[in-house]
Amino acid sequence: MALYRAWNTRLTQRIGSLHTPIIGAPMANASNSELVSAISKAGSLGMLGAGFYDENRLQTELRGISDKLGETAPKARVPIGIGFLGWVLTASHGSADPWAAQDTKARRLVDLALQARPCAILMAFGTRADMKAWCKYIRQRDAELVKTEEPLHLFVTANSVEEAKLVVEECDADIIVLQGNGAGGHGYGASPHREVLLKQVLGAYEAWMTPRGTKPLIVTAGGVGDGTDVAADLLRGADGVLLGTRFLLTPEADYKDEQKQLLLKAKETDTIRSYAFDEARNTMSWPEGIDGRGLYSPTVAEYEAAAAQAPKGTTHVPGWQERQARYKQAMAQNDVERLITWSGTGVGAMNDICPAGQLVVRLTQEAAHALERASLYIEKA
C-alpha cells in the first residue's frame, strides 16, 4: 500500500496504474525483474532494461515479473515498461526495415515483449531511420498481438530539441523522455543539462503534433538525485521524471555490492562523460556522439590521458589493446575500482541503500512536501 496521497498529473491520468509521476529507468544489467516489480508494486512504473537481452533472458525476466506481480486479467495491461535500443534492434535484424525479414532475433524479441502486455515500451538511441521504423513496427505488432482496449504507451528518448521534434512527428511518441547531459550510462555527450533541455523543448513544443493528432507528454531524465529534483522538474513543466542511478542503490538492483558502496561515497564531481567505458568493453558500435557517464576510475584515467595525446578524430586511441586487456583482468579479479560503475550527476544526493518500494514512497513524499512548501510562497487572494 502506497503511503502517499494519489497524484493528479497528466502522466498519472494517462497511465492509470501510476500513482506517482516517478518512473524507474530501464537500465541494462541492473533493472531486472525483482527491481521492476518492486517499483511497479509501489505505484510507480518499473522498466525492464532489455536492450541487450536474448530471448531466453527476456523470457526469464518476464516470468519473474509475472510471479512477483501476480496474474492480471486476460485483457489487462501489466503495469511495467520494457526498454529497447533502436540501433541494437537494427543490428540484430540486419536492416532498419523491420518488415524486410520475418524470423529474426529483433522481431522475436519485440513480439515476446508485446505478448507480455506491458503498459509501456521505451525506445532509445538509434538513427532517424531506426527509430521511425521500429516505433511504427511496435505499434503495428502491438495492435496485432494484444487484444485489449488499453493503449500501449510509447516512450521515446530525445537528447536535443531537434530530436524531440522528430520523436513527436516521426516516431509518434506518446511520451518524450528528455535525457540531459547529467544522466548516468549512455547518452549524447553534446546534450545540455535536463533543465536547459526541458526549457528549450517547452519553448517549441506547442507547434508539434503526432501523426495521430495528439500531444505527447514530457518526462525528464538525467542527474535527478531526490524528490526535490522531481518537484523542481514538475514545476518547470515536466509531466513526470525518470530516475536511474537512485534505483541502483536498492537491494533489488542487479549491481555488485562493492559498486553500490562506491556510489554511496561518490559526489557529482566523481562522475565523468567518456568513451573510456565502451573502449574498455569493446562496445564502440553505439551511434555517433553517444558516450557514457560513470564514476571516474583508473580505467577512465588511462584512456583520457592517452586520448589527450592522440590526433583529433582518432577512432582507436593508441594503446587500446593493452587497456582492454587490463580491463578483462580486472573483471576476472573482480577489481571493482577498475570496473565500470555507471552514475549520473545526482549521485551526491544519495546516501543510503533503500528497498525499491520504500524508495518510491520516499521520493514521492519528498516531491509532495517540496511542492507544498512552494505553494506557501503565494498568498491566497
Side-chain angles (χ1 to χ4, degrees), residues 27-349:
M27 298 176 287
N29 300 317
S31 295
N32 55 15
S33 60
E34 191 173 357
L35 179 58
V36 170
S37 301
I39 292 172
S40 290
K41 270 188 172 182
S44 184
L45 180 63
M47 287 196 168
L48 193 64
F52 294 104
Y53 283 1
D54 59 20
E55 292 162 81
N56 288 335
R57 176 69 187 276
L58 182 54
Q59 285 178 323
T60 298
E61 297 294 351
L62 290 173
R63 280 197 297 268
I65 289 171
S66 179
D67 290 343
K68 292 173 179 65
L69 292 183
E71 291 296 325
T72 57
K75 291 188 177 183
R77 294 278 184 183
V78 179
I80 63 164
I82 300 174
F84 286 112
L85 298 166
W87 72 272
V88 174
L89 289 177
T90 290
S92 61
H93 183 66
S95 166
D97 179 3
W99 297 272
Q102 294 296 317
D103 188 26
T104 67
K105 176 186 174 182
R107 286 185 45 148
R108 291 193 300 269
L109 280 172
V110 169
D111 284 5
L112 185 60
L114 293 174
Q115 286 164 353
R117 305 193 313 277
C119 74
I121 294 287
L122 186 147
M123 284 290 298
F125 303 126
T127 67
R128 183 174 178 178
D130 294 336
M131 301 300 283
K132 181 178 180 180
W134 285 106
C135 286
K136 183 177 180 180
Y137 178 78
I138 286 168
R139 284 209 184 278
Q140 177 181 309
R141 287 300 286 162
D142 183 72
E144 294 168 353
L145 295 172
V146 183
K147 306 303 180 183
T148 175
E149 294 182 1
E150 296 181 41
L152 175 71
H153 303 284
L154 183 60
F155 290 65
V156 186
T157 299
N159 298 268
S160 67
V161 177
E162 296 75 21
E163 197 172 39
K165 187 172 187 291
L166 294 177
V167 161
V168 175
E169 297 178 349
E170 297 189 4
C171 298
D172 196 18
D174 295 300
I175 296 154
I176 316 167
V177 180
L178 297 180
Q179 180 176 306
N181 184 274
H186 286 89
Y188 280 94
S191 296
H193 194 276
R194 74 175 195 283
E195 299 168 7
V196 176
L197 182 56
L198 175 60
K199 186 173 182 179
Q200 291 173 345
V201 168
L202 288 174
Y205 172 75
E206 289 305 319
W208 302 344
M209 196 71 70
T210 70
R212 292 169 295 142
T214 61
K215 295 292 290 183
L217 304 186
I218 295 175
V219 165
T220 54
V224 181
D226 56 24
T228 62
D229 288 337
V230 173
D233 280 12
L234 295 176
L235 288 172
R236 292 184 185 106
D239 298 297
V241 180
L242 183 143
L243 290 84
T245 306
R246 189 61 190 91
F247 283 110
L248 291 176
L249 285 168
T250 62
E252 296 90 345
D254 200 7
Y255 238 42
K256 294 178 183 293
D257 289 340
E258 297 91 339
Q259 289 177 296
K260 295 178 184 179
Q261 291 303 315
L262 288 177
L263 290 170
L264 281 178
K265 298 172 186 175
K267 303 179 180 64
E268 176 181 344
T269 51
D270 294 325
T271 74
I272 185 173
R273 296 210 72 89
S274 177
Y275 288 105
F277 306 110
D278 283 309
E279 185 204 66
R281 303 180 307 163
N282 196 24
T283 54
M284 295 290 283
S285 50
W286 285 77
E288 184 178 357
I290 297 180
D291 57 13
R293 184 181 287 280
L295 295 184
Y296 195 79
S297 68
T299 298
V300 177
E302 290 166 5
Y303 170 86
E304 293 293 334
Q309 301 299 319
K312 190 173 182 179
T314 302
T315 303
H316 289 291
V317 175
W320 62 272
Q321 297 98 329
E322 291 82 0
R323 288 191 295 277
Q324 286 184 0
R326 282 195 292 275
Y327 191 77
K328 286 182 180 178
Q329 184 179 23
M331 290 182 66
Q333 296 174 347
N334 194 31
D335 182 359
V336 178
E337 294 289 339
R338 274 192 171 272
L339 296 184
I340 294 166
T341 299
W342 301 115
S343 174
T345 56
V347 69

